[in-house]
Amino acid sequence: MRSGGRILVDNLVAQGCDRIFQVPGESFLAVLDALHDTPAIDLVTCRQEGGAAFMACADGALTGRPGVCFVTRGPGATNAGIGVHVAMQDSVPMILFVGDVDRAMRDREGFQEVDLVAMFTPLAKLALRVDDARRLPEYVARAWSTAIGGRPGPVVIALPEDMLRDEVAAVDRPRVARAPIKDDAAATLHARRLIQEAAAPIAIIGGAGWDAEAAGHVRAFAEEFGLPLAAAFRRQDAVPNDCPVYAGNLGYGPNPKLVQRIRAADVILVLGARLGEATTDGYALITPDHPGQVLIHVHPDPGELDRVYRTDLAICADPGAFAEAMTVPTSEVATSMLGHRAHADYLEWSTPQPREGVSLDLGLCVAAMRERLSPEATIICNGAGNFSGWWHRYWRYGGPGTQLAPTAGAMGYGVPAAVAGALRCPDKTVVAVAGDGDFLMNGQELATALQHGADMLVIVVDNGGYGTIRMHQERDYPRRLSGTALANPDFAALARAYGAWAETVETTEGFAPALDRALAATGVRLLHLKTEMEAITNSTTISALRAKAGG
C-alpha cells in the first residue's frame, strides 16, 4: 500500500526521470513528501511557474526525454501554460503535472479551480486527469510514451489533491521507449534519385526526432552529395556550423543569398522540420503548393506529412535513420559543389564587420565570444527579440544541444533555459542572451540559478525598449512611438543583489575585457550591455526604416 504521491514518484523514477522543476503548491504536498525520500530525483525549486515550465522544456530539448514540471492549480497552471505552448510548437517532450482540487470539490468553482483538461487540450499534445491512484502507473507510462513518440510534445496531467493522498495497491509499469519506424527502402531510393538528378537541390533540416546521431548521418550524407544544408528557424545546431556544406539558417533576417538558393531550388528535402511560418517567411519563401519545385518531406510523425504543404514524396521516418539509409559509397555519387559554394556564402554572411556610428557593436561582441569560447562546448540560450539576431547571424553553433531558443518566439525563455542547461551540462559554458524586456519576463530565476549552484553567464542587451515591436512600429507608423519604450533598472546592480557577479559595458572596446573577467569567475555572472535603439537589427537602423516608409 502506497500513497498516490509515492506511486507517482516511483513511476517517474522507473521511466528515467532524474530532475523535476517545480513551484510548490498545497495541491501536491503528497508528491513533495515522496520526493523527500527519493534521492534519484533532483528537485529544482523555481520562482515562477512560467520559468519552471521553460526549464522543463529546455531540459527535454537537451535530453530527448520528457522534461518534468510540477505546478499547482489555477494561477500555477495558467502561468505554466507558456511552457506547454513552447514545447508543443518546438516539438519538445515534456510532462506538466498540475495539482488539482479534490474530486468531491469539482465543478463548484472552488478555490483556484480550473477545468485543466479543457484548458490544456488546445495547447498540449495530450491532456489527462487521474482520478484513481491505482492507475497512476498507467497514466505516467502513457504520458511518457506520448511525449517522446512521433512528433514529440508536451503532456499535461491533472492530479486531484485527495487522489494523491489515497493509500492503494498499484502495479508499476516498466520503462517505455520510442517506437521504431519501419524503413521504406523504395521511398529512400526514390529520394536519392530525385536529389542526384536535381540541378539545384537543397535540404532544410532540424526539428522533431533530432539528436547527435541524426546530425552525424545527415552531415555524412550531405557531404557525399554536396547538398547544401539550411537550418530551419532556430535549429542552427542541427549540424555543427563548420560542416563544409552548411548554408546558414532560415527565419527572420536570413542571408539573401540563402533565400535565393531556396527560391531557385528544383528539389527541396525537408528533414525533421515542419516548414512553419518563420522558416518559410509566412509560407511565401516556399509556398504550400511550391510550383516548379519538388518537395520531399521526411518527418517522424505521419500527421505532419501533407498537413500544410503538398508533398511530392512523403516519408515517415526518423531523420537520422533516413539519412543513414541515404548514404552510399562516395564512388557512386557525383559530388556537387553547390554545398561548398553555399557554405562559402554562409561564412561571408556570418563574419561581422565593424559598424559605423554605434558605441557598442554587438557583431564585434559576438566575434569576441567566438575567439574565447568553443562552439561544441558552449550552449547559447535566448528568448525572443531583435537582440537574438546578432547571435543567430554571427555565432557558429557546435551541433545538437548547443542552441536553446524557442521556435515559438516566446519572451523570457533564455534565463530559465540557461538554468536548465547549466544543471544538465555542467561541463559546458552556458550563456543566456536576453534583451531588456526579455530578461524582465523571467529574470527572477537568477535566484533559482544561485540556489541550485548553476554556473552560467547572462548577457543583457539593454536598448531601453521592446525592440522588435519598435521595429514593426517604425516600419508601419514611422516616428509615432507608442507603448514600446521601457524604463529599466540597473541590471548589474540587480544581479549583484541576487548574489551574482556583474558588470556594465557601454563600449565595444570594453566588452572583451569584461567578458574575460566574467569567464574567469564562477557561478552566476551577468554582463549588462547598454546599446542604442538606432541599431535596431544587425542589418538596419531606425533611420533606414523611417526612410523606407517615407516617414
Side-chain angles (χ1 to χ4, degrees), residues 306-350:
D306 284 304
R307 179 183 175 189
V308 176
Y309 278 79
R310 176 186 63 77
T311 306
D312 297 288
L313 179 58
I315 302 176
C316 185
D318 287 312
F322 169 82
E324 184 178 20
M326 287 284 284
T327 305
V328 296
T330 306
S331 59
E332 298 180 19
V333 178
T335 302
S336 166
M337 292 306 293
L338 284 174
H340 293 275
R341 288 196 287 270
H343 187 62
D345 290 341
Y346 160 71
L347 293 177
E348 180 184 12
W349 174 253
S350 62

Short mmCIF file of all heavy atoms in Angstrom, two decimals, residues 306-350:
data_model
loop_
_atom_site.label_atom_id
_atom_site.label_comp_id
_atom_site.label_asym_id
_atom_site.label_seq_id
_atom_site.Cartn_x
_atom_site.Cartn_y
_atom_site.Cartn_z
N ASP A 306 1.89 16.21 -45.45
CA ASP A 306 0.74 16.71 -46.22
C ASP A 306 -0.25 17.48 -45.35
O ASP A 306 -1.40 17.66 -45.73
CB ASP A 306 0.02 15.56 -46.93
CG ASP A 306 0.79 15.07 -48.15
OD1 ASP A 306 1.08 15.91 -49.03
OD2 ASP A 306 1.11 13.88 -48.21
N ARG A 307 0.18 17.93 -44.20
CA ARG A 307 -0.71 18.68 -43.33
C ARG A 307 -0.94 20.10 -43.85
O ARG A 307 -2.07 20.58 -43.88
CB ARG A 307 -0.12 18.73 -41.92
CG ARG A 307 -0.96 19.51 -40.92
CD ARG A 307 -0.27 19.57 -39.57
NE ARG A 307 -1.00 20.41 -38.63
CZ ARG A 307 -0.53 20.76 -37.43
NH1 ARG A 307 0.67 20.34 -37.04
NH2 ARG A 307 -1.24 21.53 -36.63
N VAL A 308 0.14 20.77 -44.25
CA VAL A 308 0.05 22.13 -44.78
C VAL A 308 0.54 22.16 -46.22
O VAL A 308 -0.07 22.79 -47.08
CB VAL A 308 0.88 23.12 -43.92
CG1 VAL A 308 0.87 24.52 -44.53
CG2 VAL A 308 0.36 23.14 -42.49
N TYR A 309 1.62 21.46 -46.49
CA TYR A 309 2.26 21.51 -47.80
C TYR A 309 1.89 20.31 -48.66
O TYR A 309 1.81 19.18 -48.16
CB TYR A 309 3.79 21.55 -47.62
CG TYR A 309 4.30 22.93 -47.32
CD1 TYR A 309 4.21 23.47 -46.04
CD2 TYR A 309 4.84 23.73 -48.33
CE1 TYR A 309 4.64 24.75 -45.77
CE2 TYR A 309 5.28 25.01 -48.07
CZ TYR A 309 5.18 25.52 -46.79
OH TYR A 309 5.62 26.79 -46.53
N ARG A 310 1.66 20.57 -49.94
CA ARG A 310 1.54 19.47 -50.89
C ARG A 310 2.91 18.81 -50.99
O ARG A 310 3.90 19.45 -51.29
CB ARG A 310 1.10 19.99 -52.26
CG ARG A 310 1.04 18.89 -53.33
CD ARG A 310 0.76 19.47 -54.71
NE ARG A 310 1.80 20.38 -55.17
CZ ARG A 310 2.97 19.98 -55.65
NH1 ARG A 310 3.29 18.70 -55.69
NH2 ARG A 310 3.86 20.89 -56.07
N THR A 311 2.97 17.53 -50.74
CA THR A 311 4.24 16.82 -50.69
C THR A 311 4.36 15.87 -51.88
O THR A 311 3.48 15.03 -52.10
CB THR A 311 4.39 16.03 -49.38
OG1 THR A 311 4.17 16.92 -48.29
CG2 THR A 311 5.77 15.42 -49.26
N ASP A 312 5.43 15.99 -52.63
CA ASP A 312 5.65 15.09 -53.77
C ASP A 312 6.11 13.71 -53.31
O ASP A 312 5.75 12.70 -53.92
CB ASP A 312 6.69 15.70 -54.72
CG ASP A 312 6.20 17.01 -55.31
OD1 ASP A 312 5.29 16.97 -56.16
OD2 ASP A 312 6.70 18.07 -54.90
N LEU A 313 6.91 13.68 -52.25
CA LEU A 313 7.35 12.41 -51.68
C LEU A 313 7.34 12.55 -50.16
O LEU A 313 8.18 13.25 -49.60
CB LEU A 313 8.75 12.04 -52.18
CG LEU A 313 9.35 10.73 -51.65
CD1 LEU A 313 8.44 9.55 -51.96
CD2 LEU A 313 10.74 10.50 -52.22
N ALA A 314 6.37 11.92 -49.53
CA ALA A 314 6.24 11.97 -48.07
C ALA A 314 6.81 10.69 -47.48
O ALA A 314 6.42 9.59 -47.87
CB ALA A 314 4.78 12.13 -47.67
N ILE A 315 7.72 10.85 -46.51
CA ILE A 315 8.38 9.69 -45.90
C ILE A 315 8.28 9.82 -44.38
O ILE A 315 8.79 10.78 -43.79
CB ILE A 315 9.86 9.60 -46.32
CG1 ILE A 315 9.98 9.51 -47.84
CG2 ILE A 315 10.54 8.41 -45.66
CD1 ILE A 315 11.41 9.52 -48.35
N CYS A 316 7.61 8.87 -43.74
CA CYS A 316 7.53 8.85 -42.29
C CYS A 316 8.74 8.10 -41.75
O CYS A 316 8.83 6.87 -41.86
CB CYS A 316 6.23 8.18 -41.84
SG CYS A 316 5.97 8.25 -40.07
N ALA A 317 9.69 8.84 -41.21
CA ALA A 317 10.94 8.23 -40.74
C ALA A 317 11.63 9.18 -39.79
O ALA A 317 11.42 10.39 -39.82
CB ALA A 317 11.86 7.92 -41.93
N ASP A 318 12.47 8.62 -38.92
CA ASP A 318 13.35 9.45 -38.12
C ASP A 318 14.41 10.05 -39.04
O ASP A 318 14.96 9.34 -39.90
CB ASP A 318 14.01 8.62 -37.02
CG ASP A 318 13.04 8.26 -35.91
OD1 ASP A 318 12.33 9.16 -35.44
OD2 ASP A 318 12.99 7.07 -35.54
N PRO A 319 14.73 11.33 -38.89
CA PRO A 319 15.69 11.96 -39.81
C PRO A 319 17.03 11.24 -39.88
O PRO A 319 17.60 11.08 -40.96
CB PRO A 319 15.84 13.37 -39.22
CG PRO A 319 14.56 13.62 -38.50
CD PRO A 319 14.16 12.30 -37.94
N GLY A 320 17.53 10.80 -38.73
CA GLY A 320 18.82 10.13 -38.73
C GLY A 320 18.80 8.81 -39.47
O GLY A 320 19.72 8.49 -40.24
N ALA A 321 17.75 8.01 -39.25
CA ALA A 321 17.64 6.72 -39.94
C ALA A 321 17.51 6.93 -41.44
O ALA A 321 18.10 6.19 -42.24
CB ALA A 321 16.45 5.94 -39.39
N PHE A 322 16.74 7.92 -41.83
CA PHE A 322 16.61 8.22 -43.27
C PHE A 322 17.95 8.61 -43.86
O PHE A 322 18.34 8.12 -44.93
CB PHE A 322 15.59 9.33 -43.47
CG PHE A 322 15.56 9.88 -44.88
CD1 PHE A 322 14.86 9.24 -45.87
CD2 PHE A 322 16.26 11.05 -45.19
CE1 PHE A 322 14.84 9.74 -47.17
CE2 PHE A 322 16.24 11.56 -46.48
CZ PHE A 322 15.53 10.90 -47.47
N ALA A 323 18.67 9.52 -43.19
CA ALA A 323 19.96 9.98 -43.72
C ALA A 323 20.96 8.83 -43.79
O ALA A 323 21.74 8.74 -44.74
CB ALA A 323 20.50 11.11 -42.85
N GLU A 324 20.94 7.95 -42.79
CA GLU A 324 21.84 6.79 -42.82
C GLU A 324 21.54 5.91 -44.02
O GLU A 324 22.44 5.43 -44.71
CB GLU A 324 21.71 6.00 -41.53
CG GLU A 324 22.68 4.83 -41.43
CD GLU A 324 22.55 4.08 -40.12
OE1 GLU A 324 21.49 4.20 -39.46
OE2 GLU A 324 23.50 3.36 -39.75
N ALA A 325 20.25 5.71 -44.30
CA ALA A 325 19.86 4.89 -45.44
C ALA A 325 20.20 5.57 -46.76
O ALA A 325 20.42 4.90 -47.78
CB ALA A 325 18.36 4.59 -45.38
N MET A 326 20.24 6.89 -46.77
CA MET A 326 20.58 7.64 -47.99
C MET A 326 22.06 7.58 -48.32
O MET A 326 22.47 7.82 -49.46
CB MET A 326 20.16 9.10 -47.84
CG MET A 326 18.67 9.34 -47.89
SD MET A 326 18.00 9.25 -49.56
CE MET A 326 18.55 10.82 -50.23
N THR A 327 22.88 7.29 -47.32
CA THR A 327 24.33 7.31 -47.52
C THR A 327 24.75 6.12 -48.37
O THR A 327 24.39 4.98 -48.11
CB THR A 327 25.06 7.26 -46.17
OG1 THR A 327 24.59 8.33 -45.36
CG2 THR A 327 26.56 7.40 -46.36
N VAL A 328 25.50 6.39 -49.41
CA VAL A 328 26.02 5.36 -50.30
C VAL A 328 27.51 5.58 -50.49
O VAL A 328 28.04 6.66 -50.17
CB VAL A 328 25.31 5.42 -51.68
CG1 VAL A 328 23.82 5.10 -51.53
CG2 VAL A 328 25.49 6.77 -52.34
N PRO A 329 28.24 4.58 -50.98
CA PRO A 329 29.68 4.78 -51.20
C PRO A 329 29.95 6.00 -52.07
O PRO A 329 29.25 6.24 -53.06
CB PRO A 329 30.10 3.48 -51.92
CG PRO A 329 29.11 2.46 -51.44
CD PRO A 329 27.82 3.21 -51.30
N THR A 330 30.96 6.76 -51.70
CA THR A 330 31.26 8.01 -52.40
C THR A 330 31.48 7.81 -53.89
O THR A 330 31.13 8.66 -54.70
CB THR A 330 32.49 8.68 -51.76
OG1 THR A 330 32.26 8.82 -50.36
CG2 THR A 330 32.76 10.03 -52.38
N SER A 331 32.03 6.66 -54.25
CA SER A 331 32.32 6.40 -55.66
C SER A 331 31.06 6.36 -56.52
O SER A 331 31.12 6.52 -57.74
CB SER A 331 33.07 5.07 -55.80
OG SER A 331 32.29 4.01 -55.27
N GLU A 332 29.90 6.14 -55.87
CA GLU A 332 28.64 6.05 -56.61
C GLU A 332 27.94 7.40 -56.73
O GLU A 332 26.87 7.49 -57.32
CB GLU A 332 27.70 5.04 -55.94
CG GLU A 332 28.26 3.62 -55.90
CD GLU A 332 27.29 2.66 -55.24
OE1 GLU A 332 26.10 3.01 -55.15
OE2 GLU A 332 27.73 1.58 -54.82
N VAL A 333 28.52 8.44 -56.17
CA VAL A 333 27.89 9.75 -56.16
C VAL A 333 28.78 10.77 -56.86
O VAL A 333 29.98 10.84 -56.58
CB VAL A 333 27.61 10.22 -54.71
CG1 VAL A 333 26.99 11.62 -54.72
CG2 VAL A 333 26.70 9.24 -53.99
N ALA A 334 28.18 11.52 -57.76
CA ALA A 334 28.90 12.62 -58.37
C ALA A 334 28.71 13.84 -57.46
O ALA A 334 27.67 14.50 -57.50
CB ALA A 334 28.36 12.89 -59.77
N THR A 335 29.70 14.09 -56.62
CA THR A 335 29.56 15.14 -55.61
C THR A 335 29.44 16.52 -56.26
O THR A 335 30.26 16.91 -57.09
CB THR A 335 30.76 15.13 -54.66
OG1 THR A 335 30.84 13.84 -54.05
CG2 THR A 335 30.60 16.18 -53.58
N SER A 336 28.41 17.24 -55.87
CA SER A 336 28.18 18.59 -56.38
C SER A 336 28.98 19.59 -55.56
O SER A 336 29.30 19.36 -54.39
CB SER A 336 26.69 18.92 -56.31
OG SER A 336 26.46 20.30 -56.49
N MET A 337 29.28 20.74 -56.15
CA MET A 337 29.96 21.80 -55.43
C MET A 337 28.97 22.82 -54.86
O MET A 337 29.37 23.82 -54.26
CB MET A 337 30.95 22.51 -56.36
CG MET A 337 32.13 21.65 -56.78
SD MET A 337 33.02 20.96 -55.34
CE MET A 337 33.67 22.47 -54.64
N LEU A 338 27.67 22.56 -55.04
CA LEU A 338 26.66 23.50 -54.56
C LEU A 338 26.80 23.75 -53.06
O LEU A 338 26.72 24.88 -52.59
CB LEU A 338 25.27 22.98 -54.86
CG LEU A 338 24.76 23.09 -56.30
CD1 LEU A 338 23.42 22.38 -56.44
CD2 LEU A 338 24.63 24.56 -56.70
N GLY A 339 26.98 22.67 -52.30
CA GLY A 339 27.07 22.79 -50.85
C GLY A 339 28.27 23.62 -50.41
O GLY A 339 28.17 24.43 -49.48
N HIS A 340 29.40 23.44 -51.07
CA HIS A 340 30.60 24.18 -50.70
C HIS A 340 30.45 25.66 -51.04
O HIS A 340 30.91 26.53 -50.28
CB HIS A 340 31.82 23.57 -51.41
CG HIS A 340 32.15 22.19 -50.93
ND1 HIS A 340 32.92 21.95 -49.82
CD2 HIS A 340 31.78 20.97 -51.41
CE1 HIS A 340 33.03 20.64 -49.63
NE2 HIS A 340 32.34 20.03 -50.58
N ARG A 341 29.81 25.95 -52.16
CA ARG A 341 29.58 27.35 -52.50
C ARG A 341 28.60 28.00 -51.52
O ARG A 341 28.77 29.16 -51.12
CB ARG A 341 29.07 27.46 -53.94
CG ARG A 341 30.14 27.16 -54.99
CD ARG A 341 29.72 27.64 -56.36
NE ARG A 341 28.68 26.80 -56.95
CZ ARG A 341 28.90 25.74 -57.71
NH1 ARG A 341 30.16 25.36 -57.99
NH2 ARG A 341 27.90 25.05 -58.22
N ALA A 342 27.59 27.24 -51.13
CA ALA A 342 26.63 27.76 -50.14
C ALA A 342 27.31 28.01 -48.80
O ALA A 342 27.01 28.99 -48.11
CB ALA A 342 25.47 26.78 -49.97
N HIS A 343 28.25 27.14 -48.43
CA HIS A 343 28.96 27.32 -47.16
C HIS A 343 29.86 28.55 -47.22
O HIS A 343 29.97 29.30 -46.23
CB HIS A 343 29.80 26.08 -46.86
CG HIS A 343 30.45 26.11 -45.51
ND1 HIS A 343 29.73 26.17 -44.34
CD2 HIS A 343 31.77 26.11 -45.14
CE1 HIS A 343 30.56 26.18 -43.30
NE2 HIS A 343 31.80 26.15 -43.76
N ALA A 344 30.46 28.79 -48.37
CA ALA A 344 31.29 29.99 -48.52
C ALA A 344 30.43 31.25 -48.35
O ALA A 344 30.85 32.23 -47.72
CB ALA A 344 31.98 29.99 -49.88
N ASP A 345 29.22 31.23 -48.89
CA ASP A 345 28.30 32.36 -48.71
C ASP A 345 27.95 32.53 -47.24
O ASP A 345 27.86 33.66 -46.73
CB ASP A 345 27.03 32.13 -49.52
CG ASP A 345 27.25 32.25 -51.02
OD1 ASP A 345 28.26 32.84 -51.43
OD2 ASP A 345 26.40 31.72 -51.78
N TYR A 346 27.74 31.40 -46.55
CA TYR A 346 27.43 31.46 -45.12
C TYR A 346 28.58 32.06 -44.33
O TYR A 346 28.37 32.92 -43.45
CB TYR A 346 27.10 30.07 -44.59
CG TYR A 346 27.24 29.95 -43.10
CD1 TYR A 346 26.33 30.56 -42.24
CD2 TYR A 346 28.31 29.26 -42.53
CE1 TYR A 346 26.48 30.49 -40.86
CE2 TYR A 346 28.46 29.17 -41.16
CZ TYR A 346 27.55 29.78 -40.32
OH TYR A 346 27.71 29.71 -38.96
N LEU A 347 29.80 31.65 -44.61
CA LEU A 347 30.96 32.17 -43.88
C LEU A 347 31.08 33.68 -44.06
O LEU A 347 31.39 34.41 -43.10
CB LEU A 347 32.23 31.46 -44.34
CG LEU A 347 32.36 29.97 -43.99
CD1 LEU A 347 33.64 29.40 -44.57
CD2 LEU A 347 32.30 29.76 -42.49
N GLU A 348 30.84 34.14 -45.27
CA GLU A 348 30.91 35.58 -45.53
C GLU A 348 29.81 36.31 -44.75
O GLU A 348 30.06 37.34 -44.11
CB GLU A 348 30.77 35.84 -47.03
CG GLU A 348 30.81 37.32 -47.39
CD GLU A 348 30.59 37.57 -48.87
OE1 GLU A 348 30.16 36.64 -49.58
OE2 GLU A 348 30.81 38.72 -49.31
N TRP A 349 28.59 35.79 -44.79
CA TRP A 349 27.46 36.42 -44.12
C TRP A 349 27.63 36.43 -42.61
O TRP A 349 27.22 37.38 -41.93
CB TRP A 349 26.19 35.67 -44.51
CG TRP A 349 24.93 36.09 -43.81
CD1 TRP A 349 24.27 35.41 -42.84
CD2 TRP A 349 24.18 37.29 -44.03
NE1 TRP A 349 23.14 36.10 -42.45
CE2 TRP A 349 23.07 37.26 -43.16
CE3 TRP A 349 24.34 38.38 -44.89
CZ2 TRP A 349 22.12 38.28 -43.12
CZ3 TRP A 349 23.39 39.40 -44.85
CH2 TRP A 349 22.31 39.35 -43.98
N SER A 350 28.24 35.40 -42.05
CA SER A 350 28.35 35.27 -40.59
C SER A 350 29.64 35.85 -40.03
O SER A 350 29.96 35.64 -38.86
CB SER A 350 28.25 33.79 -40.20
OG SER A 350 29.31 33.04 -40.76
#
